Amino acid sequence: MTNLPRHLSAGHHRALMQSIDTPVNLKYLARFMTDFVSDPTEADDDRSDWLYAQGFLPEKLELYDFGTHDIELYLSDVQRWMTREINGDYTIVFNNKILFTQVFRNFCDIAPITAVWRNGRIIPYDTVWEDCLAGRLEEPRRFVAKPLGGGGGGNVYFIQVNRKSAVIESNDDNRKRFTLPVEKLNTLFDDARVPFMVTEFISQGAYSKTLYPLTVNTVRMLIVRDPETLLPHVVRTVQRIGTSDSYPIDNFSLGGLSAEIDIETGLVGPAVAAAGPHKGTRLEFHPDTGEQIAGLTVPNWSTIVEGMKDLFLQVPYIAYCGFDLILTEDGVVVLEGNSYSQVRLFQMHRPLLPDPTYVKVLKHYGIYRAS
């Protein structure tokens, strides 16, 4: 085990767990307890007690390298849930994809909304969706349909429409690929239990496409606002990469890969997976295509980082966000923002808490307790 840096104290995870008493944080503790009981990871009683006392799910025994890094260096699962409160009332901007699009399109490139499905009907945002239904398209168009709220990559549909029919692919095991006549396109949402948003499909650039051409491979960038200087701080960035297991999306929880990007240089490291046949393996090359991953450098990386910092400065009421970015030939398109970003895709490479600015943010919002 390594010695803890000066900004951390031994036993801080246990201290936080023992201090939870507010209704909001008790709600997150209850969620953690439910997840803990349902976690299928095999662990003996001693290991389970050790993890529970510090706020970690049993799955982290398989995903995190506790043999190399002290558990005190990792953000716990309870802490990750508590980060949901950092943006306060403005969390709604991230929880509703329409609102996120309407706010952030003023400051950056973002996929335009084509239509919304809500309460059993489609609400077009322009004439494109009606043109699709009427077979009036002059050339094929591509769209993405996804739930308005939540995350995890579930129920995502990729739609390619021509004048007569629409070919639809999804990560729904019961509806992987199917075709609808254009006049029946609205029936795609007949069984949906939540509202959906349809946006224009964004084509990734040559670098991203090389990683795995069958999915859009996005960058997740975790940015926080230093509570003292109020300046943005990039905590960690990773390149997400799709696989045959995660297809047609790059989702890390569904078998996609995560490769850390060095914040200073843009150098891409080895990839890891949290699920699927490659779980627990460090991959220098893509398991399906054999294409190189580790050792690549993201084009125009410093421009991307500075651009995202500038974006953060233009929206002063947010303090914590994991942005998903599509790297195109012309620049960056912001796909969405996550107010309590999943952290496995970061911490499977190395823990987050050695970053003193990140811990400063956690302390400021009561998500860290010194022992």
Side-chain angles (χ1 to χ4, degrees):
M1 297 291 184
T2 57
N3 293 326
L4 293 181
R6 294 179 62 183
H7 63 273
L8 295 176
S9 61
H12 68 86
H13 282 313
R14 293 176 184 270
L16 177 67
M17 291 289 285
Q18 294 167 4
S19 72
I20 293 176
D21 57 5
T22 66
V24 170
N25 288 338
L26 285 170
K27 175 183 67 175
Y28 295 135
L29 179 60
R31 171 62 186 263
F32 167 73
M33 293 169 67
T34 300
D35 290 348
F36 193 96
V37 171
S38 61
D39 191 317
T41 307
E42 293 185 6
D44 60 38
D45 289 345
D46 288 342
R47 295 290 274 177
S48 292
D49 291 346
W50 177 70
L51 288 166
Y52 182 88
Q54 299 180 87
F56 288 81
L57 296 174
E59 67 167 12
K60 299 310 185 294
L61 287 174
E62 298 179 350
L63 300 181
Y64 293 171
D65 187 3
F66 293 136
T68 301
H69 303 289
D70 195 309
I71 194 172
E72 305 279 13
L73 297 174
Y74 288 89
L75 187 79
S76 72
D77 292 292
V78 170
Q79 286 177 307
R80 183 254 166 169
W81 275 103
M82 291 171 68
T83 62
R84 191 170 187 169
E85 300 300 316
I86 289 179
N87 290 312
D89 292 341
Y90 296 107
T91 298
I92 190 174
V93 174
F94 303 99
N95 291 345
N96 185 297
K97 291 181 173 65
I98 290 180
L99 186 56
F100 180 85
T101 300
Q102 291 177 335
V103 170
F104 278 84
R105 70 183 179 186
N106 298 297
F107 311 110
C108 63
D109 289 333
I110 199 163
I113 301 173
T114 299
V116 171
W117 181 87
R118 185 194 296 273
N119 298 328
R121 67 188 184 96
I122 284 282
I123 306 169
Y125 271 57
D126 54 35
T127 61
V128 175
W129 192 255
E130 294 298 331
D131 289 342
C132 290
L133 296 175
R136 293 194 296 262
L137 291 180
E138 295 183 1
E139 58 184 22
R141 299 286 293 268
R142 300 178 72 184
F143 306 94
V144 180
K146 53 189 176 182
L148 279 183
N155 300 314
V156 178
Y157 297 94
F158 293 86
I159 308 165
Q160 181 160 324
V161 187
N162 57 37
R163 287 191 174 184
K164 294 185 178 181
S165 63
V167 177
I168 298 140
E169 291 187 296
S170 80
N171 59 323
D172 184 340
D173 289 336
N174 298 317
R175 308 176 80 187
K176 283 287 189 183
R177 182 183 175 93
F178 56 98
T179 302
L180 291 173
V182 290
E183 64 271 16
K184 298 290 186 181
L185 192 52
N186 285 352
T187 65
L188 172 64
F189 308 106
D190 279 354
D191 297 327
R193 298 180 180 179
V194 296
F196 267 74
M197 179 175 71
V198 181
T199 63
E200 293 276 357
F201 177 86
I202 303 298
S203 295
Q204 62 190 339
Y207 154 77
S208 301
K209 190 172 184 179
T210 299
L211 295 167
Y212 187 64
L214 300 183
T215 61
V216 177
N217 305 300
T218 57
V219 169
R220 171 67 63 86
M221 181 179 291
L222 180 61
I223 307 180
V224 299
R225 191 177 305 277
D226 187 313
E228 295 177 357
T229 67
L230 302 183
L231 295 176
H233 171 71
V234 179
V235 179
R236 193 72 57 83
T237 56
V238 294
Q239 174 70 64
R240 294 192 299 194
I241 307 167
T243 66
S244 57
D245 296 290
S246 70
Y247 179 85
I249 57 179
D250 64 351
N251 189 270
F252 187 59
S253 298
L254 301 176
L257 308 178
S258 163
E260 184 173 353
I261 303 172
D262 185 275
I263 295 171
E264 299 299 325
T265 66
L267 185 67
V268 181
V272 296
H278 308 292
K279 178 179 177 180
T281 304
R282 291 174 63 82
L283 302 166
E284 304 274 336
F285 300 90
H286 196 285
D288 298 321
T289 67
E291 290 289 336
Q292 180 182 357
I293 296 174
L296 295 177
T297 299
V298 182
N300 305 311
W301 180 244
S302 61
T303 301
I304 293 169
V305 172
E306 292 307 312
M308 292 307 298
K309 288 182 179 179
D310 289 343
L311 172 61
F312 212 79
L313 286 172
Q314 292 182 78
V315 192
Y317 49 79
I318 64 171
Y320 190 104
C321 183
F323 288 101
D324 288 339
L325 313 176
I326 301 175
L327 308 187
T328 69
E329 286 301 295
D330 300 321
V332 175
V333 173
V334 176
L335 183 61
E336 60 183 55
N338 303 270
S339 65
Y340 60 113
S341 173
Q342 182 56 264
V343 296
R344 294 183 303 172
L345 76 174
F346 300 124
Q347 295 198 128
M348 281 187 68
H349 301 288
R350 56 191 177 95
L352 285 169
L353 300 191
D355 185 321
T357 301
Y358 185 61
V359 174
K360 186 195 302 183
V361 171
L362 300 180
K363 291 177 178 178
H364 181 77
Y365 290 97
I367 305 174
Y368 176 97
R369 289 284 189 274
S371 57

